[in-house]
Amino acid sequence: SAVISQKPSRDICQRGTSLTIQCQVDSQVTMMFWYRQQPGQSLTLIATANQGSEATYESGFVIDKFPISRPNLTFSTLTVSNMSPEDSSIYLCSVASLGPLETQYFGPGTRLLVL
Amino acid sequence: QKEVEQDPGPLSVPEGAIVSLNCTYSNSAFQYFMWYRQYSRKGPELLMYTYSSGNKEDGRFTAQVDKSSKYISLFIRDSQPSDSATYLCAMSGGNQFYFGTGTSLTVIP
């Protein structure tokens, strides 16, 4: 299994500002994902971070609001732009193991509170 | 129809009880089935995974997949207070992943 770290682990931000969340994996992985989990809710996929090309966004999520970078196979960032209180959530990075076994491993998450 | 359905609970059981958590799904293409455990304020942790139909046991945990009924289960024997968490089922096939909404479990000492 992959070991995934995220920075920051938590933050409190003011409305209208932006926050960049970093995700680092201890091994090269093909697929990386960003999820949002609002209080008491399950996981909502924001986008798939593609190495060397633009991220693939799910319905309801746009690049201007959630720009994503993936400069290499072990690192990705998610920026939450022009934040509002509705963006308060846990943001999770995950990586997929493919081939003979398909599963996902998650980072510890970033807890974001927007005031 | 959702791809994956999971009863959100909450489920509350006494310590030592057998817990049964379940999910149903609609896509017959799913081949991999997973259960995640998520403690409060933490990321989901992969608990068990199975490929295709059948049972898999790991200590007090047993994962069961019935592809003919499109139904998966997680059984926890001799439940402990430390098992109190939210349990999410997940499925994949063809590089597509789908998660249930999670079942909140509390094991009362």
Side-chain angles (χ1 to χ4, degrees):
Chain A
S1 65
V3 177
I4 305 167
S5 60
Q6 282 185 237
K7 290 182 183 179
S9 59
R10 60 173 58 202
D11 208 342
I12 301 173
C13 300
Q14 295 298 318
R15 181 195 299 260
T17 63
S18 297
L19 176 72
T20 295
I21 303 168
Q22 298 179 5
C23 177
Q24 180 75 53
V25 189
D26 68 341
S27 59
Q28 292 187 343
V29 292
T30 304
M31 300 185 76
M32 293 180 74
F33 306 93
W34 287 98
Y35 286 85
R36 182 171 73 183
Q37 187 177 35
Q38 297 184 305
Q41 304 295 315
S42 188
L43 304 168
T44 301
L45 180 63
I46 297 172
T48 302
N50 301 309
Q51 194 268 328
S53 64
E54 196 170 282
T56 304
Y57 290 85
E58 297 299 304
S59 175
F61 296 96
V62 295
I63 187 171
D64 289 346
K65 176 68 175 176
F66 297 100
I68 288 171
S69 79
R70 176 99 191 263
N72 55 52
L73 293 176
T74 64
F75 186 79
S76 179
T77 67
L78 168 75
T79 298
V80 186
S81 303
N82 188 25
M83 289 184 284
S84 67
E86 292 71 35
D87 294 319
S88 298
S89 188
I90 299 172
Y91 291 85
L92 292 153
C93 166
S94 78
V95 302
S97 165
L98 302 177
L101 173 64
E102 291 186 13
T103 189
Q104 283 193 34
Y105 299 93
F106 286 86
T110 295
R111 300 180 68 86
L112 172 61
L113 176 63
V114 184
L115 302 176
Chain B
Q1 183 183 9
K2 284 186 180 179
E3 296 277 358
V4 179
E5 300 272 3
Q6 183 175 9
D7 186 340
L11 188 60
S12 183
V13 301
E15 183 175 354
I18 297 174
V19 176
S20 172
L21 305 168
N22 310 294
C23 288
T24 58
Y25 63 96
S26 57
N27 190 339
S28 57
F30 290 146
Q31 295 286 343
Y32 299 93
F33 304 89
M34 292 144 276
W35 286 95
Y36 290 84
R37 178 175 60 195
Q38 187 174 22
Y39 291 114
S40 180
R41 300 174 183 270
K42 301 286 187 184
E45 167 197 11
L46 181 64
L47 190 60
M48 295 194 72
Y49 60 84
T50 54
Y51 172 70
S52 196
S53 283
N55 293 357
K56 184 172 183 178
E57 189 173 316
D58 184 2
R60 297 185 294 110
F61 299 88
T62 299
Q64 199 170 76
V65 175
D66 182 348
K67 291 192 73 178
S68 63
S69 301
K70 297 189 178 67
Y71 188 88
I72 70 169
S73 300
L74 177 70
F75 298 96
I76 307 174
R77 291 183 299 280
D78 187 25
S79 56
Q80 303 295 308
S82 58
D83 296 328
S84 298
T86 296
Y87 291 81
L88 297 99
C89 64
M91 315 178 180
S92 69
N95 299 343
Q96 296 290 317
F97 293 87
Y98 296 89
F99 290 86
T101 52
T103 299
S104 175
L105 171 67
T106 300
V107 180
I108 303 168

